[in-house]
Amino acid sequence: MQPEIHLKLLKLLEKNPQLTQRELAHQLGISLGKTNYCLKALKEKGWLKWGNFSKKPNKSQYMHLLTPKGISEKLILTLHFLKRKEKEYELLKEEIAHLHEELATSPLAANPLAQDVIERIEEAKHFVMRKHANEMDPNLIAKLKIACRN
């Protein structure tokens, strides 16, 4: 989990280096102490530097900046994260295919009511594969709720 938190931290700081530790903790959904610990670890690795980088003496501006090494490591973490998610996706597709095969070969598959449930499951599968959750048809949601009750 630590590399994933490090990647999220680096992405947030790349977009907005002026975020406070409290804001980072809130956006990451982790404690302030864990945020501080991760920031220190990234600084020790040479991926981050922080301090008051303002040239104006009367303006205090504390920032967390990615070092060139930090930018490089962020890309490596992104690549590893992407590979892991692609593997999870492939495993999930295999599991879905296996479940479809199981349903198709089930003795209940000839039953019209079971066919209706299978169609609803297929619709739900397509929904999961869509990019945006808000695209799901409200009628489909109602059908799925009814099917789950039966």
Side-chain angles (χ1 to χ4, degrees):
M1 186 64 172
Q2 211 72 358
E4 194 170 322
I5 292 172
H6 288 173
L7 176 60
K8 288 178 182 179
L9 246 174
L10 292 170
K11 284 181 175 185
L12 286 170
L13 291 173
E14 186 176 50
K15 288 180 185 174
N16 188 355
Q18 297 172 349
L19 287 172
T20 65
Q21 288 189 23
R22 192 170 305 282
E23 291 167 333
L24 288 167
H26 177 72
Q27 289 190 29
L28 293 168
I30 60 176
S31 71
L32 185 57
K34 186 167 188 169
T35 302
N36 182 276
Y37 176 81
C38 289
L39 285 170
K40 284 182 179 180
L42 293 176
K43 184 178 180 185
E44 287 173 13
K45 290 180 178 186
W47 298 5
L48 277 181
K49 61 182 177 179
W50 63 68
N52 182 354
F53 296 101
S54 176
K55 293 183 180 181
K56 298 178 183 177
N58 61 347
K59 187 176 179 186
S60 176
Q61 194 143 52
Y62 200 75
M63 297 185 348
H64 302 86
L65 300 175
L66 274 69
T67 63
K69 184 177 180 182
I71 293 168
S72 172
E73 292 296 330
K74 181 181 123 339
L75 291 173
I76 292 168
L77 286 172
T78 301
L79 179 62
H80 289 299
F81 181 78
L82 178 62
K83 285 183 178 184
R84 186 169 41 103
K85 289 299 178 181
E86 285 174 338
K87 185 176 180 180
E88 288 174 13
Y89 174 71
E90 290 303 319
L91 290 172
L92 185 58
K93 282 189 349 186
E94 287 175 20
E95 185 177 350
I96 289 171
H98 176 72
L99 291 171
H100 278 287
E101 185 180 314
E102 231 178 83
L103 285 172
T105 59
S106 167
L108 295 175
N111 182 327
L113 181 59
Q115 281 299 74
D116 187 44
V117 170
I118 291 169
E119 287 173 16
R120 291 178 189 169
I121 291 170
E122 185 66 26
E123 289 174 3
K125 180 192 103 174
H126 289 296
F127 161 70
V128 169
M129 302 304 270
R130 287 187 197 147
K131 193 172 184 178
H132 302 288
N134 60 359
E135 293 177 12
M136 188 166 188
D137 178 31
N139 294 329
L140 178 59
I141 295 171
K143 288 179 184 178
L144 288 170
K145 285 180 181 176
I146 291 169
C148 289
R149 282 190 222 130
N150 293 338

